[in-house]
Amino acid sequence: GKEYSDTYYALKKELNNIESEYSLLDSNSSTFNDDVEKLYVKYVNKANEVAIESGYGNYLESVYADTYLRDYEYSETDNFYEYVKRYVYPKFVTIANRIHADIDLLFNQEQQLLVLYYEKDCFTNCFKDVKSYVSYMGGTMESAFNNLFKAGGGYFISYEEKALKGAFTDTFSKSGIPYVYFGGDYKDSFTLVHEFGHYHAAVINDNELCFDLAETQSQANELLFLQYLLQNEDFSQKVAGIFEEYKLYDVYSTIIMSTLVNELEKKVY
């Protein structure tokens, strides 16, 4: 592997300390936004120092190569930004408006179906639906799911008010074993299916993949779960249509958000 200097490791430790400072910030504090801004400026400057010490021109160059595992430079993404702006964003706005209009036409009972799968806590409301879907898929997906959610499995669910809000999949640094976390309002069925997609990918893939492919299995898992629901639940045509529209909305959101993050990083670093 690549060898690094003692200076690199010292700078990397300072960078990790800034990340730790951020994780300890109180999001309810009146100074939260100002605190985040100060830490972010510190992080950007330190990250560039780390990148330069490791032989890159700036931090974005280093993460493109070492973290994102991309075989192209960030300057090559300019055209992609224009494509998203011209073609994807208008479709996103159109479908967002259509969803709001269509939801208003649903009866309250039909709206509750959307709430059940997209908002309610899956672990206490519809876990059996996810388990049934995974059993239907079978193979490595079923075995990975059973291994994850067995007693003592690598999943963490927090109901603490001050706990980290969000859902993510990562690996334990020493063992490399994947785990999944769910906190705050991020416990609905589609979030569970999404994160399980990441977990399953980590279990079956021996090699690290390009960051551009990171959402492939998780997003695909959501689409497959949606099709399973539509085929096995007694949804009205209106409800089924909104489920499909909402998934498209989610896909467009991911593309737009990822593109904006990339543009921000290009300008910042």
Side-chain angles (χ1 to χ4, degrees):
K2 191 173 182 179
E3 295 185 1
Y4 297 99
S5 66
D6 291 341
T7 302
Y8 168 87
Y9 287 111
L11 291 169
K12 189 70 174 175
K13 184 176 180 179
E14 291 180 48
L15 193 63
N16 291 338
N17 289 339
I18 295 173
E19 292 179 356
S20 297
E21 283 186 67
Y22 171 74
S23 67
L24 294 173
L25 290 179
D26 181 1
S27 60
N28 295 317
S29 170
S30 60
T31 63
F32 178 72
N33 290 336
D34 291 335
D35 294 338
V36 170
E37 181 181 348
K38 291 174 184 176
L39 278 180
Y40 187 59
V41 172
K42 282 175 62 178
Y43 185 90
V44 168
N45 292 332
K46 192 60 61 180
N48 278 330
E49 289 184 49
V50 171
I52 291 170
E53 182 61 29
S54 59
Y56 293 100
N58 57 54
Y59 178 70
L60 193 53
E61 280 186 18
S62 71
V63 292
Y64 256 60
D66 297 339
T67 303
Y68 300 161
L69 303 179
R70 289 170 173 161
D71 58 358
Y72 56 90
E73 297 179 358
Y74 60 82
S75 58
E76 298 178 68
T77 64
D78 293 346
N79 289 337
F80 184 75
Y81 169 77
E82 292 300 327
Y83 180 91
V84 171
K85 180 180 176 181
R86 182 174 180 181
Y87 296 106
V88 178
Y89 179 71
K91 290 183 178 296
F92 168 77
V93 173
T94 298
I95 204 164
N97 291 333
R98 194 162 69 217
I99 287 173
H100 289 302
D102 288 348
I103 287 178
D104 288 340
L105 297 176
L106 296 179
F107 296 114
N108 183 62
Q109 186 177 4
E110 293 175 318
Q111 290 181 3
Q112 291 309 306
L113 286 172
L114 299 176
V115 172
L116 173 63
Y117 290 104
Y118 276 110
E119 295 183 20
K120 284 196 172 182
D121 186 335
C122 177
F123 296 100
T124 57
N125 287 278
C126 49
F127 188 79
K128 62 179 178 57
D129 293 317
V130 176
K131 188 173 178 59
S132 176
Y133 155 69
V134 172
S135 297
Y136 171 78
M137 296 299 291
T140 59
M141 183 179 287
E142 184 176 17
S143 60
F145 187 87
N146 292 335
N147 185 63
L148 173 61
F149 290 106
K150 67 183 179 182
Y155 70 97
F156 303 89
I157 307 171
S158 178
Y159 290 93
E160 296 293 329
E161 186 177 342
K162 292 187 177 181
L164 180 65
K165 293 176 175 59
F168 60 85
T169 303
D170 206 341
T171 55
F172 292 109
S173 57
K174 290 187 178 180
S175 65
I177 296 174
Y179 67 90
V180 185
Y181 171 85
F182 303 93
D185 295 329
Y186 293 82
K187 303 185 188 79
D188 62 89
S189 61
F190 278 92
T191 297
L192 191 159
V193 168
H194 181 100
E195 293 305 326
F196 173 65
H198 285 306
Y199 177 87
H200 184 220
V203 168
I204 65 174
N205 292 322
D206 294 329
N207 301 317
E208 289 186 288
L209 300 175
C210 171
F211 202 71
D212 297 334
L213 301 174
E215 290 296 314
T216 304
Q217 198 146 344
S218 55
Q219 293 282 352
N221 208 28
E222 287 192 57
L223 290 168
L224 289 169
F225 177 58
L226 173 59
Q227 288 306 307
Y228 178 83
L229 287 178
L230 295 181
Q231 291 174 15
N232 290 277
E233 298 293 334
D234 187 23
F235 295 149
S236 69
Q237 187 173 355
K238 287 188 297 181
V239 170
I242 293 178
F243 265 103
E244 292 178 329
E245 287 177 344
Y246 196 87
K247 193 71 210 82
L248 275 175
Y249 169 88
D250 191 44
V251 170
Y252 287 144
S253 296
T254 300
I255 294 171
I256 292 169
M257 182 61 69
S258 300
T259 303
L260 290 175
V261 169
N262 186 60
E263 289 303 303
L264 174 65
E265 290 183 330
K266 283 158 63 175
K267 294 183 184 301
V268 168
Y269 294 106

